[in-house]
Amino acid sequence: MTVLGIETSCDECAAAVVADGAAMLSNVVYSQIEEHRRYQGVVPEIASRKHVEWIDGVVEHALADAGVHLDAIDALAVTTRPGLIGSLLVGLSYAKGLAMARNLPMIAVDHVQAHFYAPHLERDLSYPYIGLLLSGGHSLIAQVHNFDRIKVMGATIDDACGEAFDKVAKYFDIGFPGGVAIQKLAEGGNAAAYRFPRPSLHKGDHRFDVSYSGLKTAVIHQRAQFHDPEYQDTLPNLAAAFQQTAVDIVVDKALLASRETGIDCIVAAGGVAANTYLRRRLDAEPVRTVYPSLKLCTDNAAMIAGLGYHLLARGERSQLDTGARARVGEFRARYP
């Protein structure tokens, strides 16, 4: 089955063609970074308008790269949750129109589940594993038992890890996207220059949860309080210390989940999974670690098409009255 995937959940306009949930025939992503750089953050209205302008060309590009005509597409998979509602509706509306015009089956795909599926497009990865999802809007630790059996163990109680990177970078005018800018600046810094606090979430049901609002506040408004006078108070040192603390917070929780469940494989996904310090830190631990390639860490349509294939193969279909959801409320205990 050849599936055309469409992803417009935030500021990446993407389309991909994937065969049988495994073979990526194409994976096209049009980035809106330059459209949002002047604002040092994603502006939802601009994002949705750019999707309207680009979506048709992106799909044509994906079909051309795959070397297939639209007649060879067996089904459509499209992101419907979570994300910016305006952006989601552009991709969903396009998919609905295409499904109706071509009489093609369509399946709605969850963006979060798709990120956990991304590594399966590049390797034979067995279940179960501890899934560590770190994207701009999500920080999630889960037991992944199958493509649709994901048990959430912990999540952020406020800001996501990637969100904290973006906000700190914006405040200090480090650059956009924040994660990439801070990582680059941190390469010339010393993390020992600051000893930032970590959230005290280590009891009961919250022992796998993470929090970033306190760290963000400490870095932006209280840096002098946590500065070690033996080191210079510089932006590279600040970036290195923030990056190390932000990553260690969530990596330690993923390792705790691994120890308590006995699952000795951790799969990191999402944009922050591309962070070099995170990969060094995880690779130094006595667990097996797996990461998608960089092109599959960030938002893409191949993961949507890949996961969509499995849903379609067992007979699931989405109707033309399917809606989009900006948020999902099932982050506790089980998702979805």
Side-chain angles (χ1 to χ4, degrees), residues 94-116:
Y94 186 91
K96 285 180 179 181
L98 199 56
M100 181 182 294
R102 290 279 177 165
N103 194 29
L104 290 170
M106 181 187 77
I107 191 69
V109 174
D110 185 299
H111 181 87
V112 172
Q113 285 185 316
H115 267 302
F116 283 130

Side-chain angles (χ1 to χ4, degrees), residues 34-323:
E34 293 307 318
E35 308 296 329
H36 302 278
R37 190 183 299 279
R38 63 181 292 189
Y39 307 103
Q40 295 187 311
V42 176
V43 180
E45 181 63 21
I46 293 175
S48 58
R49 289 189 182 196
K50 284 299 172 183
H51 287 311
V52 171
E53 293 177 21
W54 293 354
I55 184 65
D56 193 52
V58 170
V59 169
E60 290 181 358
H61 190 168
L63 291 170
D65 279 4
V68 300
H69 189 270
L70 193 54
D71 292 339
I73 298 299
D74 299 308
L76 304 172
V78 58
T79 306
T80 58
R81 69 173 196 171
L84 300 177
I85 192 65
S87 292
L88 285 168
L89 287 172
V90 175
L92 178 57
S93 298
Y94 186 91
K96 285 180 179 181
L98 199 56
M100 181 182 294
R102 290 279 177 165
N103 194 29
L104 290 170
M106 181 187 77
I107 191 69
V109 174
D110 185 299
H111 181 87
V112 172
Q113 285 185 316
H115 267 302
F116 283 130
Y117 186 79
H120 295 265
L121 290 166
E122 300 176 309
R123 57 179 59 78
D124 185 11
L125 181 59
S126 60
Y127 297 102
Y129 51 79
I130 297 298
L132 176 59
L133 174 60
L134 300 172
S135 67
H138 305 283
S139 293
L140 203 65
I141 298 166
Q143 296 178 43
V144 182
H145 293 277
N146 208 332
F147 68 88
D148 63 342
R149 289 182 57 214
I150 300 171
K151 181 180 179 181
V152 170
M153 301 180 71
T156 182
I157 65 172
D158 41 55
D159 290 344
C161 184
E163 186 180 5
F165 270 89
D166 287 338
K167 289 180 177 179
V168 168
K170 182 175 182 178
Y171 182 85
F172 291 103
D173 197 22
I174 293 173
F176 177 79
V180 175
I182 286 177
Q183 175 183 287
K184 184 176 181 180
L185 187 61
E187 292 172 356
N190 189 331
Y194 304 86
R195 299 177 182 178
F196 290 121
R198 297 173 58 167
S200 181
L201 297 169
H202 54 267
K203 297 180 180 179
D205 293 339
H206 290 290
R207 66 189 184 281
F208 298 110
D209 288 336
V210 296
S211 169
Y212 285 97
S213 62
L215 173 61
K216 180 186 65 179
T217 298
V219 173
I220 292 175
H221 300 296
Q222 301 169 331
R223 60 188 286 193
Q225 179 180 338
F226 302 103
H227 176 235
D228 187 332
E230 292 187 11
Y231 302 90
Q232 288 185 310
D233 180 20
T234 65
L235 271 183
N237 285 347
L238 184 73
F242 164 73
Q243 175 180 257
Q244 179 173 298
T245 306
V247 168
D248 285 350
I249 286 171
V250 73
V251 166
D252 287 349
K253 293 302 179 83
L255 293 170
L256 176 62
S258 176
R259 290 194 298 270
E260 288 205 8
T261 61
I263 299 174
D264 64 354
C265 178
I266 296 177
V267 176
V272 183
N275 182 273
T276 54
Y277 173 73
L278 180 141
R279 294 190 177 207
R280 289 198 307 270
R281 172 71 207 283
L282 274 175
D283 289 343
E285 300 293 336
V287 293
R288 181 186 173 210
T289 54
V290 177
Y291 317 95
S293 62
L294 297 183
K295 66 182 179 181
L296 293 181
C297 283
T298 53
D299 293 349
N300 65 88
M303 65 184 189
I304 304 301
L307 176 57
Y309 161 80
H310 290 280
L311 299 172
L312 291 158
R314 69 181 183 190
E316 293 190 28
R317 300 292 186 272
S318 296
Q319 302 305 311
L320 292 178
D321 61 354
T322 297

